[in-house]
Amino acid sequence: MSDLPTFDDVAAAAQRLAGHAHRTPVLRSATANARHQAEFFFKCENLQRMGAFKFRGAFNALSKFTPAQRERGVIAFSSGNHAQAIALAARLLGMPAVILMPLDAPQAKIDATRGYGAEVIGFDRYKEDREALTRRVADERGMTLVPPFDHADVIAGQGTAAKELIEEVGALDLLFVPLGGGGLLSGSALSARALAPHCKVYGVEPEAGNDAQQSFRKGEIVHIPVPTTLADGAQTQHVGQLTFGVIRRNVDDVLTASDEQLVQAMRFFAERMKMVVEPTGCLGLAGALHGGLDITGKRVGVIISGGNVDLARYAQLVA
Ligand SMILES: *Cc1c(COP(=O)(O)O)cnc(C)c1O
């Protein structure tokens, strides 16, 4: 496929993001290193604007809108981090944003999205066809749809986190990346291939929804029912056409992590590194520790993808 994004697109995205996205810190942990006899580098996208890497892809995509597109604005559907990312990026770029959210989405998420200035339209996810509704609103208002992962500009934006990580710490032996629809993983793989060609890149998805692992092994996109997992940012039913095109060419394997392993990683981040990480954000570390790979003596990159989690729920999980 000639329309797949490349590392040049990631580099261009990095320029657009400069001064707008945080250059998030890379943290180390002597405890993790000693326990696992490896050298860990944690890229902390839980400390990114709006609390997750998704700001990168959203801002990059919206920055490329034409003046006519900017005037009409952006539309997206999401009940998660993509909603807040699009809302914030739209506000910063001075364009209207409409986010379609299921009526039963957590009120805190609806409030956060409205807080960034977006108009939230609720829909009944059991009765209404979300895609048809999105298309109708998009047509009526002339808005441009930006999907959460299967979009070249979104992928390129997400790839800037791994680019920063490798530029800051040098070549890695292994890189572990949380995986839902594959935007973060495909962008990260483009950066790793270009900047650290010997680095092995692994996607890590919830055990309960291993569609990407099945797709990777089979060589074609596999669809699954909505998986039940704590990792609500990775409850996707299938990867995208573009993300899969990049993943199958540039990723070494797809691993899975159980909910119990995610909770263990959440506790580790809280107790040892003083960080709030959402369950989905723990997939990378869980995959590094439990994915069956030998990390002894290796330089291990881990992307912590986000930190947005309801506090009551968080307290329950880490207690
Ligand atoms: C969206 C999201 C993911 C998954 O990203 P994809 O690009 O869909 O693979 C992982 N972690 C967090 C915190 C997310 O919000």
Side-chain angles (χ1 to χ4, degrees):
M1 270 206 271
S2 56
D3 50 356
L4 292 178
T6 66
F7 179 68
D8 288 344
D9 298 312
V10 179
Q15 294 197 331
R16 288 185 203 102
L17 290 174
H20 299 285
H22 294 321
R23 194 178 175 96
T24 53
V26 177
L27 297 189
R28 307 183 187 208
S29 162
T31 305
N33 293 352
R35 264 191 207 165
H36 306 288
Q37 291 167 38
E39 194 176 5
F40 285 93
F41 301 92
F42 296 98
K43 178 66 169 167
C44 297
E45 288 296 298
N46 53 318
L47 305 177
Q48 184 52 264
R49 294 185 81 162
M50 54 62 58
F53 71 91
K54 283 206 174 68
F55 178 71
R56 296 174 181 270
F59 191 88
N60 186 50
L62 268 54
S63 298
K64 291 186 70 180
F65 276 22
T66 63
Q69 283 178 305
R70 279 189 194 222
E71 196 181 316
R72 297 302 188 105
V74 59
I75 182 166
F77 50 80
S78 164
S79 55
N81 288 330
H82 181 59
Q84 289 164 64
I86 290 288
L88 175 58
R91 192 185 69 187
L92 293 171
L93 291 165
M95 67 176 88
V98 166
I99 312 290
L100 282 108
M101 285 186 154
L103 287 166
D104 55 352
Q107 191 61 38
K109 297 212 163 168
I110 295 175
D111 292 345
T113 306
R114 286 206 174 112
Y116 289 124
E119 177 187 350
V120 174
I121 299 183
F123 68 99
D124 183 338
R125 65 164 130 189
Y126 302 102
K127 293 198 185 131
E128 285 174 282
D129 175 352
R130 181 186 68 181
E131 300 199 10
L133 180 64
T134 310
R135 244 176 290 124
R136 203 185 71 222
V137 180
D139 286 349
E140 277 169 12
R141 305 200 193 183
M143 293 181 133
T144 304
L145 174 70
V146 175
F149 51 83
D150 209 19
H151 187 293
D153 300 331
V154 171
I155 293 169
Q158 318 305 34
T160 59
K163 176 176 181 289
E164 288 173 8
L165 168 62
I166 297 167
E167 284 174 350
E168 181 168 335
V169 307
L172 299 164
D173 296 311
L174 306 162
L175 177 63
F176 294 90
V177 185
L179 165 58
L184 181 62
L185 176 60
S186 49
S188 301
L190 292 174
S191 289
R193 284 289 161 265
L195 301 173
H198 299 293
C199 177
K200 295 210 181 280
V201 179
Y202 299 95
V204 189
E205 68 182 342
E207 193 174 81
N210 72 333
D211 60 286
Q213 186 178 60
Q214 291 183 49
S215 304
F216 190 79
R217 309 238 153 120
K218 210 170 163 199
E220 62 186 65
I221 298 173
V222 172
H223 293 238
I224 59 164
V226 178
T228 304
T229 167
L230 287 178
D232 57 349
Q235 277 180 312
T236 37
Q237 294 176 259
H238 58 89
V239 293
Q241 298 285 343
L242 293 176
T243 56
F244 187 59
V246 174
I247 288 168
R248 59 186 302 201
R249 285 168 180 77
N250 298 285
V251 166
D252 291 280
D253 204 359
V254 176
L255 315 171
T256 63
S258 68
D259 280 0
E260 176 52 37
Q261 291 162 353
L262 297 180
V263 170
Q264 245 181 42
M266 277 173 83
R267 291 195 182 121
F268 172 80
F269 287 130
E271 190 172 46
R272 294 293 173 158
M273 297 182 72
K274 318 303 165 196
M275 282 200 300
V276 175
V277 181
E278 63 183 278
T280 316
C282 294
L283 282 165
L285 178 59
L289 299 185
H290 308 287
L293 296 166
D294 183 11
I295 60 170
T296 314
K298 302 279 168 61
R299 289 165 56 81
V300 181
V302 171
I303 298 192
I304 299 176
S305 53
N308 292 329
V309 49
D310 176 74
L311 266 194
R313 177 106 182 98
Y314 179 79
Q316 224 175 30
L317 289 172
V318 297

